[in-house]
Amino acid sequence: MSDDSDNRKPATRLAQAGRRPEWTRMPDQPGGIVNPPVWRASTILYDDVAHLRAAVTNTHERLFYGRKGTPTSWSLADALTGMEPGAEGTMLFPSGVAAISCALMAVLKPGDQLLMVDSAYDPTRSFCEKMLRPLGIDTVYYDPLIGAGIEALISERTRAIFLESPGSLSFEVQDVPAITAIARAKGIVTLIDNTWATPLFFSALSHGVDISILSCTKYIVGHSDAMMGSVTATPQFWNAVQSTAWLFGQMVSPDDAWLAARGLRTLDVRLRRHQESALAIAQWLAGRPEVARVLHPALPSCPGHEIWVRDFAGASGLFTFILNGGDEAARAALIDSLRHFGIGYSWGGYESLALPVDPQRFRTATQWNAAGPAVSDALSFAPALLIRTSIRP
Ligand SMILES: Cc1ncc(COP(=O)(O)O)c(C=O)c1O
């Protein structure tokens, strides 16, 4: 559980988190290692049957059976919990998508209605349509800029509101406090995909969110060599998240947990460099005649920029820009000609990537208007590029 009265700076917490003596020291020996090592396990051997039977009663952070983790994964989960003031605990998942789907399953039941932000990562939308809908859980998509207007969409059946801020591909920054205040007053649970900002740049639970989800594959691992997801919950929702993850048999490999924990230690410095590199490129692009618009939350041209200024402690390294005209072939030629940007999925690693993106394929409640509200529909499908910056200067 994170400590609300803990006044250490987030970067200090990062350096100190998840290093409990019982995970880093040998009994009866002075001193200890800095990082909890990789504990690999399936079978745990008990001293006798009495210990085996006793172990069943509380398996959280106890050696019980490999699927319930070892100190390697507990340490990472503990560190992520420590980064979110007000959190009770964190469960780890083999991918960000696994974390999102399990968090939704933890709070929804047949007959419920989910309000889903229109700019959600597209596999999140697919989960709603292909898994939740057949289970009798309806999803209503809402405009990411709706703010307090969300109240008008709430019905008797609304059980949960899912946020992602900024949104995938189109980067709208949501008014999280306005939405969570209404949700709390009506007893509706809120979940956020906080992958872009991480708890370092946006403290989700402090802004009223109940459940914060990360694709740790991105900035937490940080080196493009492991997949992972996490769900961090308030005391009210912690049991539901934990038991649902256990029911689905979700777990992570200790080697991957160790890699993620190692990445986490340098998150603060890496994110700041991402911020610096991305802003330099975004500002340069904004001044180019070939570019119609840059969707970077720290620039006024991004929808919800003023909310980013109000609520966020920084900007990470992922943004989109829209070409001033041109077609599919021109966009591909531009990307193919980049010397220092790779072409591939994911982000948050130390290298740079550029991708063609077409948000209109994943929007139903809003219209993707690539060239801005004043521009005709003809330009609304203008080519967009997703830029993922490196931590190089
Ligand atoms: C915003 C966001 N959330 C979640 C995910 C899913 O994460 P993973 O690839 O670890 O399943 C991604 C992946 O790109 C993402 O961009």
Side-chain angles (χ1 to χ4, degrees):
M1 183 176 172
S2 67
D3 176 4
D4 281 349
S5 61
D6 182 351
N7 59 6
R8 288 174 302 162
K9 290 195 172 139
T12 310
R13 291 180 195 212
L14 267 186
Q16 297 170 345
R19 289 168 46 199
R20 293 190 205 161
E22 64 268 32
W23 299 336
T24 50
R25 287 169 179 251
M26 304 277 282
D28 307 324
Q29 286 194 27
I33 57 175
V34 174
N35 295 312
V38 178
W39 293 58
R40 304 185 56 84
S42 59
T43 298
I44 307 299
L45 293 174
Y46 295 93
D47 292 345
D48 50 37
V49 172
H51 279 103
L52 178 131
R53 293 214 188 283
V56 181
T57 51
N58 178 11
T59 57
H60 179 61
E61 290 184 359
R62 295 271 165 85
L63 286 176
F64 171 68
Y65 173 55
R67 205 173 54 235
K68 296 285 172 75
T70 66
T72 318
S73 50
W74 305 338
S75 154
L76 172 63
D78 192 53
L80 290 168
T81 304
M83 287 172 68
E84 277 283 6
E88 179 70 16
T90 297
M91 291 305 282
L92 300 174
F93 297 84
S95 70
V97 165
I100 291 165
S101 48
C102 193
L104 286 168
M105 293 303 279
V107 298
L108 293 165
K109 59 178 186 337
D112 285 346
Q113 185 182 70
L114 166 70
L115 296 183
M116 170 60 64
V117 65
D118 205 33
S119 51
Y121 178 54
D122 66 279
T124 305
R125 297 177 66 111
S126 299
F127 184 77
C128 295
E129 296 311 315
K130 296 183 178 154
M131 183 61 73
L132 296 183
R133 207 172 285 285
L135 290 176
I137 300 163
D138 289 342
T139 301
V140 171
Y141 296 90
Y142 68 88
D143 183 338
L145 301 175
I146 200 167
I150 194 102
E151 189 157 10
L153 298 183
I154 292 173
S155 74
E156 291 276 285
R157 290 172 49 226
T158 309
R159 168 73 186 131
I161 303 175
F162 194 102
L163 305 95
E164 184 183 322
S165 181
S168 275
L169 312 182
S170 43
F171 291 89
E172 299 91 340
V173 184
Q174 291 194 254
D175 193 341
V176 177
I179 293 175
T180 56
I182 289 166
R184 287 242 160 137
K186 293 183 176 287
I188 294 167
V189 52
T190 51
L191 310 92
I192 194 168
D193 181 335
N194 197 27
T195 303
W196 184 86
T198 83
L200 271 189
F201 283 169
F202 182 71
S203 187
L205 270 48
S206 312
H207 286 85
V209 177
D210 298 304
I211 297 177
S212 176
I213 304 163
L214 300 177
S215 163
C216 300
T217 310
K218 317 302 188 225
Y219 291 121
I220 308 301
V221 167
H223 296 75
S224 305
D225 49 11
M227 305 284 298
M228 197 172 295
S230 66
V231 178
T232 300
T234 55
Q236 193 185 348
F237 294 99
W238 167 238
N239 279 344
V241 167
Q242 186 185 56
S243 62
T244 309
W246 283 349
L247 284 169
F248 278 101
Q250 294 288 17
M251 59 164 295
V252 296
S253 100
D255 299 85
D256 288 349
W258 188 86
L259 278 173
R262 187 171 193 152
L264 190 64
R265 300 292 176 206
T266 57
L267 180 66
D268 183 71
V269 279
R270 283 186 292 107
L271 265 192
R272 282 174 206 290
R273 179 55 72 88
H274 276 291
Q275 168 166 256
E276 201 182 301
S277 305
L279 259 178
I281 297 169
Q283 276 159 349
W284 180 81
L285 284 167
R288 299 290 309 181
E290 304 90 340
V291 172
R293 193 164 179 199
V294 181
L295 300 172
H296 183 302
L299 299 189
S301 50
C302 190
H305 163 73
E306 63 294 343
I307 294 170
W308 176 82
V309 172
R310 187 191 69 191
D311 293 346
F312 284 64
S316 66
L318 186 76
F319 67 96
T320 290
F321 69 93
I322 300 153
L323 290 175
N324 204 352
D327 57 12
E328 178 69 41
R331 176 170 66 175
L334 169 62
I335 295 173
D336 289 346
S337 70
L338 296 173
R339 280 188 26 231
H340 299 298
F341 287 76
I343 304 167
Y345 290 110
S346 201
W347 42 286
Y350 57 85
E351 80 289 13
S352 297
L353 293 177
L355 279 183
V357 291
D358 301 297
Q360 68 273 14
R361 293 171 47 215
F362 314 111
R363 300 289 180 270
T364 47
T366 54
Q367 175 113 36
W368 163 247
N369 194 349
V375 182
S376 75
D377 276 349
L379 266 187
S380 71
F381 295 97
L385 277 83
L386 188 71
I387 289 290
R388 160 191 154 170
T389 55
S390 76
I391 56 173
R392 290 188 304 248

